[in-house]
């Protein structure tokens, strides 16, 4: 692929300008990007959008981060999936380096940004994009060559390109978070259209040396292979692993073995389509009396075992954008009207399993109806339930072997939270 | 260390110390100051200066003037400074190639530095300096770096070979770098392997036949091993490279698939898509009864579904690819309908793609759910999305017969919402449903008719009119309804006019007694008052058809229409195969082959899926299509035939949805007879009351029943050549009048336009010179013509791409077509032009030489010429004198031929040369001419005779034929005198 990374910026007065750019292949005119900005502004006006725009023979692939556009330009039949994941990777790297990716942080660090752009891609081929490794040899300090100048860490080109050798800790520990997000889509008539669990296992690794880790889960397929079908298992529909996990090993015997990256990382993610009872069920009646008022009744029911509790539950109920004078009544928790989002937010700090709560809201409507059509926005719900996985997944063991033979303790936490949790309204 | 110290100090004083200070606004003389600083003795000051230079470069200022000063800083022991100077070099070396040589020494030295980071940096940067002179010096350092002990240097050098190849391919080949690069595929380091593969693939792309990648089972094995060890990006390079390989047999194919499948579990979506590409391609070779085949099918679904949890842009790429995959192998995702349900917060581009896939996956099993969803979407607010949802309901009805009734009632519910664009969209799709299930849902027509007034989009109006015409016998007030449309006939779009014409003819055939007046009205509107040739053609054909044989008319117009196919918008199978080979790339997102949008890729071979082979059999004929393997027949859907032929027109299919490519209905004979229809009187049925219109009378009265032009007009060469006369020289170029000023600057706020017309290679060109005599920049040029005698119209936009600065001049050539709207002008060759720019719209008129319209195939066959000459009545003849022409007859003939005036024969009678010539105008009018040249007399006599062409377009011109001749002769007069001087 022939790429030009081109973070450009949207500033005041909706004028875009190029903040910093790098031409990776010589055969593209950098002024081509001038065509990109008018196209973007036109699309914005037409409330149109497409992540891929064309001008003449130039193709622009862009993503937006806050008010920055990261744009890749190419004239070839580039691998579009690669380009987008590379752009997102760039955002990640910049964020690791500068905390926030914004116009100011780019300006304040333009020398480092140039250095990074030089290192992460060569002639349109992405190279090393692991920010932990990059930080070992691209630093914000000045260097003299004869003394402290960095050398490329062997890690960059090693098969284990995500962990450097020689890491030392006094106390060796691994913290694991098993986080499950529930995505739910319920029709206006109350039938579940889609219910999906997206799980993620995150690691915080505080281990010396080059440890070998093996993770055991109650994976249904594994239990079938090993003939332990009676135990409670989970059928993982699709699993994605951090590049440290040996994929062919997993494919062969479902063993999850890896040398972990140092510090925080996402080891794996998985998806289950098993239909579970929606953890928090919402019934709502939203009655709109044109020119006078809107009346909202919401009933929330927790459908998990009473020994668990959902925390920080927030139920967002849409109201017309021209509604005014809110009045609320709740059986528990508190309500807030957020006019900028046109929603009522009902907060319940603690929501034990098997309970049911009610909320009523009343809004006035102006006598002159706004001409603007409003979409029927769904009710969305946020929550988190600690010490609980909705899928029933369990970490059975995490074996840690390092040649120095130290003892290390794994810590595991479970939490279930709302993902894309939407209930359509009438 | 000094730099680090300074950082600390500054922090202590509490000032914010960041790079942004380098961007502070510039003062006058900045470059001068920088120059001094760059040459300072103090290292710190130097570095600061270079940073300032780079900062200026970043904001787009030209700092190339500092080139020698910056290059002087290159020899430094400060890594940061070195990187900045390198960056500067990459940007400006091309503009200062001679001075760039100064840098070579340092590069060569750096390539031998003890620190691998420096060696790699030097070789990476050198490759980015696209200056020919430098590339020579690059070879030796590159050779060393390719064999460097440090893998970081080797992986950088591998990419450098691709860079160098892009600048100087020959050099790379001569130096043997390609072989070294191939050796790197066996390198012990996975990243080196990955970059070598990437570089080779890149080079191979520009040399499709080079066999560079020479993939064989051994090298494939190496790649598959490296696949497990390299970075996510390296995995993509390797997978994309693997996708170009064609396994020898199904066993090899299976073993590669087995080793690629684990990549489906990679967290990076791009790795997953590239793996899907390899699997989709190699699967093609697996026998379908193989257990592994179905295992693989099952394994593909979950990762594809998971891609929909990625970032929206990646979702979009994934969805565009899934669209291809479900067309190629619908079984993979047939149970996954629900994951494509649209979420409220999806970006619109994701919503539209999901909708598309939902329709493709719709089947009897899931139709209830799909319909419920579509109905929900149809009440959203985003207009594009809602329209597509309504259309999708119609497509479901056509695709799943059992659901048709539910779909129709859903559509009726939507019509009740009275939301304007929903109603219109619904009517358009209901028309399609009527086509698919004739005589089944007509009960809804009454509801449709209630909404007649709210339809303001042509497509919806046309659909409604079609429905009324098609079911005229069941709609009591069909005549009133259609009549109501007739009032504003000329304001309607062509689509609606054509539809209305046909609908009324249908109505007349069904209810002849009450609607005679109506049909006469529409026929005369279509034939007399319209400038649209399609409309007139169709009008005349119906008229003639109705007048000669009403029974035949009924058979043609009310013929049973072919059913429309179930699947629409399917990608044509060979293109689909090619796109599958490009999964993940832009081609798969655009649904276009790379050759359609990548410059210089036209010669590149189109990728194809491998053929299925039997076990152990070798692929001796790799070109055997998939049809032989048995997968194509079931996958090959009936593709929508292109429409718009005469038959389609007659059957009124032009706006209809796709038809199956079945056998045409038994009325093919019409096509040939079409011409004849225009012949004799057609009043028998309708009585004489229409004969009064002058154009009609002239048209049919004057046109003799001649053969269509296409039958007797030779297309140059062949037989026609036999009649060429000796002595006629090579044809000269066509006559081009000199450019004159058409629009003076004072009349057009500073824009001056001069121009002329030329006919080049059969294309009429308007050649313009635009001069900006104003003080401000002019942009956004556009041009339009008024209707004119010969239907001249711009064939494309005015190509003024760059803004026209003050005192700038630009020459533009605008190709013209002759299919624009026609109106008789006075003088006949007058052309009224409007030119727009960012300032205003300006109008002027100009006259084109009639010879622009003389077409290349205007050479009449000799015998036809003779017969025609005799047949044409004397009334059509006119004579002119051409004065002061000193050419002999042969020279005149040769010059005239350059302007497509062809000499058919020459006779010499009593010292007088007589040339017989033919001319064909772009609108089909033939003109025959006799040119008498008396030796020693500078006056020529020309006799011209107009002969009718047989195109209907010329009807308009019968009334003005005399004018044509006058201007023709003026023009020839001009031409000859021009040649004289």
């Amino acid at each position: 692929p022939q790429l030009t990374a081109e973070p450009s910026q949207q500033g005041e007065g909706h004028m875009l300008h190029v903040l910093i750019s790098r031409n990776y292949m010589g055969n593209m005119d950098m002024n081509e990007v001038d065509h990109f900005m008018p196209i973007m502004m036109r699309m914005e006006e037409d409330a149109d959008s497409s992540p891929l725009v064309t001008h003449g023979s130039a193709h622009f692939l862009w993503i937006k981060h806050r008010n920055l556009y990261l744009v890749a330009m190419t004239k070839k039949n580039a691998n579009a999936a690669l380009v987008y994941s590379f752009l997102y990777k760039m955002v990640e790297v910049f964020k690791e380096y500068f905390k926030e990716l914004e116009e100011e942080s780019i300006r304040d660090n333009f020398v480092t940004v140039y250095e990074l752009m030089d290192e992460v891609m060569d002639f349109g081929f992405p190279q090393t994009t692991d920010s932990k490794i990059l930080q070992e040899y691209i630093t914000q300090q000045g260097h003299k060559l004869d003394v402290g100048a960095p050398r490329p860490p062997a890690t960059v080109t090693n098969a284990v390109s995500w962990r450097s050798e020689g890491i030392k800790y006094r106390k060796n520990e691994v913290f694991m978070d098993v986080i499950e997000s529930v995505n739910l889509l319920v029709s206006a008539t109350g039938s579940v259209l889609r219910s999906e669990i997206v799980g993620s296992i995150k690691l915080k690794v505080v281990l010396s040396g080059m440890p070998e880790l093996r993770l055991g889960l109650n994976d249904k397929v594994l239990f079938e292979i090993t003939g332990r079908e009676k135990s409670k298992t989970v059928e993982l529909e699709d699993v994605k692993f951090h590049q440290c996990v040996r994929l062919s090993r997993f494919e062969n015997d479902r063993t999850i073995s890896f040398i972990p990256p140092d510090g925080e990382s996402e080891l794996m993610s998985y998806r289950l389509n098993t239909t579970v009872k929606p953890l928090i069920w919402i019934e709502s009646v939203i009655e709109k009396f044109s020119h006078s008022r809107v009346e909202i009744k919401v009933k929330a029911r927790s459908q998990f075992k009473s020994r668990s509790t959902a925390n920080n539950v927030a139920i967002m109920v849409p109201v017309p954008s021209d509604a005014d004078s809110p009045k609320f009544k709740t059986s528990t928790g508190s309500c807030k009207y957020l006019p900028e989002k046109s929603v009522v937010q009902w907060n319940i700090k603690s929501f034990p399993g098997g309970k049911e709560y009610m909320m009523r809201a009343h809004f006035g409507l102006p006598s002159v109806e706004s001409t603007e059509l409003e979409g029927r926005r769904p009710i969305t719900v946020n929550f988190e339930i600690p010490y609980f996985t909705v899928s029933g997944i369990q970490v059975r063991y995490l074996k840690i072997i390092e040649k120095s033979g130290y003892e290390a303790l794994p810590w595991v936490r479970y939490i279930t939270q709302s993902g894309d949790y939407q209930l359509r309204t009438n | 260390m000094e730099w680090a110290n300074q950082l600390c100090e500054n922090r202590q004083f509490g000032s914010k110390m960041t790079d942004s200070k380098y961007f502070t606004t510039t003062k006058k003389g900045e470059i001068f100051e920088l120059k001094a600083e760059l040459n300072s003795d103090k290292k710190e000051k130097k570095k600061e200066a270079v940073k300032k230079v780079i900062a200026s470069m970043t904001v787009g200022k030209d700092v190339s003037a500092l080139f020698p000063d910056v290059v002087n800083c290159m020899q430094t022991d400060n890594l940061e400074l070195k990187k900045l100077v390198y960056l500067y070099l990459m940007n400006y070396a091309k503009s200062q190639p001679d001075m760039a040589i100064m840098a070579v020494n340092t590069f060569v030295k750096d390539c031998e530095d003890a620190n691998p980071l420096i060696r790699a940096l030097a070789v990476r940067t050198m490759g980015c300096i696209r200056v020919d002179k430098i590339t020579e010096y690059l070879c030796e350092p590159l050779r060393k770096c390719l064999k460097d002990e440090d893998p970081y240097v080797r992986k950088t050098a591998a990419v450098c070979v691709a860079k160098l190849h892009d600048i100087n391919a020959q050099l790379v080949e001569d130096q043997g770098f390609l072989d070294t690069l191939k050796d790197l595929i066996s390198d012990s380091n996975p990243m080196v392997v990955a970059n070598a593969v990437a570089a080779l693939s890149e080079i191979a792309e520009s040399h499709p036949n080079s066999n560079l990648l020479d993939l064989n089972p051994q090298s494939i094995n190496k790649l598959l091993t490296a696949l497990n060890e390299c970075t996510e990006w390296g995995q993509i390079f390797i997978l994309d490279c693997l996708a170009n390989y064609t396994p020898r047999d199904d066993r090899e194919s299976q073993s590669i698939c087995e080793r690629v499948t684990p990549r489906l579990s990679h967290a990076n979506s791009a790795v997953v898509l590239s793996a899907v590409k390899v699997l989709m391609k190699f699967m093609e070779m697996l026998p379908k009864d193989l257990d592994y085949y179905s295992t693989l099918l099952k394994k593909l679904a979950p990762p594809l579904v998971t891609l929909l949890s990625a970032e929206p842009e990646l979702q979009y790429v994934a969805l565009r690819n899934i669209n291809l995959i479900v067309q190629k192998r619908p079984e993979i995702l047939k149970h996954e309908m629900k994951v494509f349900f649209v979420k409220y917060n999806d970006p619109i581009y994701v919503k539209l793609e999901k909708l598309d896939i939902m329709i493709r996956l719709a089947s009897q099993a899931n139709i209830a759910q799909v319909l419920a969803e579509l109905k929900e979407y149809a009440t959203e607010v985003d207009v594009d999305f809602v329209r597509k949802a309504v259309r999708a309901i119609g497509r479901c009805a056509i695709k799943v017969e059992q659901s048709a009734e539910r779909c129709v009632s859903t559509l009726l519910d939507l019509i009740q919402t009275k939301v304007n664009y929903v109603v219109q969209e619904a009517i358009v799709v209901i028309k399609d449903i009527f086509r698919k299930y004739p005589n089944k849902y007509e009960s809804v027509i009454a509801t449709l008719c209630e909404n007649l007034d709210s339809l303001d989009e042509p497509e919806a109006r046309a659909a409604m009119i079609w429905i009324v015409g098609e079911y005229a016998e069941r709609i009591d007030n069909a005549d009133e309804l259609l009549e109501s449309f007739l009032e504003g006939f000329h304001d309607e779009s062509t689509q609606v006019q054509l539809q209305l014409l046909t609908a009324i003819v249908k109505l007349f055939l069904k209810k002849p007694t009450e609607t005679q007046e109506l049909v006469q009205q529409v026929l005369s509107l279509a034939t007399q008052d319209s400038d649209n040739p399609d409309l007139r053609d169709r009008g005349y054909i119906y008229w003639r058809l109705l007048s000669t044989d009403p029974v035949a008319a009924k058979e043609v117009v009310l013929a049973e229409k072919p059913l429309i196919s179930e699947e629409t918008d399917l990608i044509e199978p060979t293109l689909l195969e090619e796109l599958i080979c490009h999964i993940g790339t832009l081609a798969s997102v655009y649904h276009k082959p790379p050759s359609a949008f990548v410059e210089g890729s036209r010669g590149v071979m189109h990728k194809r899926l491998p053929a299925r082979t039997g076990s152990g059999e070798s692929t001796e004929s790799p070109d055997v299509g998939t049809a032989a393997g048995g997968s194509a027949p079931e996958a090959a859907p009936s593709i929508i035939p292109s429409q718009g032929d005469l038959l389609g027109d007659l059957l009124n299919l032009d706006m209809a949805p796709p038809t199956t490519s079945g056998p045409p209905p038994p009325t093919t004979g019409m096509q040939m007879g079409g011409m004849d229809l225009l012949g004799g009187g057609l009043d028998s049925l309708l009585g004489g009351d229409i004969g009064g219109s002058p154009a009609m009378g002239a048209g049919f009265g004057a046109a003799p029943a001649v053969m269509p032009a296409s039958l007797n007009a030779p297309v140059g060469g062949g037989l026609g050549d036999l009649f060429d006369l000796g002595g006629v020289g090579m044809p000269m170029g066509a006559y081009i009048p000199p450019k004159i000023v058409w629009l003076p600057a004072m009349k057009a706020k500073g824009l001056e336009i001069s121009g002329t017309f030329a006919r080049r290679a059969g294309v009429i060109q308007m050649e313009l010179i635009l001069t900006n005599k104003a003080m401000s920049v002019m942009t956004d040029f556009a041009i339009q013509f008024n209707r004119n005698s010969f239907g001249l119209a711009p064939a494309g936009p005015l190509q003024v791409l760059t803004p026209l600065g003050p005192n700038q001049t630009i020459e533009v050539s605008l190709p013209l077509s002759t299919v624009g709207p026609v109106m008789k002008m006075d003088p006949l060759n007058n052309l009224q032009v409007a030119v727009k720019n960012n300032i205003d719209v300006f109008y002027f008129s100009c006259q084109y030489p009639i010879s622009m319209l003389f077409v290349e195939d205007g050479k009449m066959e000799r015998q036809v010429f003779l017969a025609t000459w005799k047949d044409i009545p004397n009334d059509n003849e006119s004579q002119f004198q051409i004065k002061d022409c000193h050419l002999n007859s042969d020279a005149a003939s040769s010059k005239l031929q350059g302007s497509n005036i062809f000499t058919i024969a020459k006779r010499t009678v009593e010292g007088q040369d007589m040339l017989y010539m033919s001319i064909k105008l772009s609108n089909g009018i033939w003109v025959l001419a006799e040119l008498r040249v008396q030796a020693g007399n500078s006056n020529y006599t020309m006799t011209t005779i107009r002969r009718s062409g047989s195109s209907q377009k010329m009807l308009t011109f019968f009334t003005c034929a005399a004018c044509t001749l006058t201007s023709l002769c003026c023009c020839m007069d001009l031409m000859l005198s021009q040649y004289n001087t």
Side-chain angles (χ1 to χ4, degrees), chain B residues 89-121:
Chain B
L89 271 169
M90 278 189 270
N91 261 306
Y92 290 113
K94 215 169 176 183
S95 59
Q96 311 261 353
D98 293 328
M99 277 196 275
I101 295 287
M102 289 163 51
V104 164
N105 252 338
T106 319
F107 274 129
V108 174
K109 217 178 111 209
D110 282 354
C111 281
E112 292 179 6
D113 195 280
N115 186 339
L117 204 59
I118 305 288
R119 297 202 295 276
L121 183 65

Side-chain angles (χ1 to χ4, degrees), chain B residues 55 259 494 513 608 718 802 940 947:
Chain B
R259 294 177 71 179
T494 308
T513 45
R608 297 198 56 185
T802 48
Y940 290 9
R947 206 205 92 167

Side-chain angles (χ1 to χ4, degrees), chain B residues 729-754:
Chain B
M730 286 299 289
M732 310 283 213
Y735 165 63
I736 302 168
K739 287 199 175 75
I740 51 168
V741 175
W742 284 336
L743 182 69
M746 48 182 284
K747 277 194 180 171
K749 301 186 180 165
L751 175 66
E752 185 191 81
I753 300 180
S754 56

Side-chain angles (χ1 to χ4, degrees), chain A residues 17 104 156 345 351 401:
Chain A
H17 63 268
E104 203 178 329
V156 173
Q345 185 173 332
F351 198 146
I401 302 160

Side-chain angles (χ1 to χ4, degrees), chain B residues 228-279:
Chain B
N228 289 323
E229 296 179 334
C230 59
T231 67
E232 47 199 318
W233 312 114
Q235 296 185 20
I236 299 171
F237 308 152
I238 292 178
L239 289 168
D240 285 354
C241 174
L242 277 177
N244 290 322
Y245 177 63
T246 306
R248 288 162 309 169
D249 53 40
D250 55 341
R251 274 193 301 239
E252 192 190 5
S253 187
Q254 177 174 345
S255 89
I256 296 175
C257 286
E258 280 167 355
R259 294 177 71 179
V260 166
T261 321
R263 296 302 121 193
L264 295 174
S265 298
H266 201 287
N268 187 322
S269 305
V271 176
V272 175
L273 264 181
S274 287
V276 168
K277 166 163 58 190
V278 175
L279 296 174

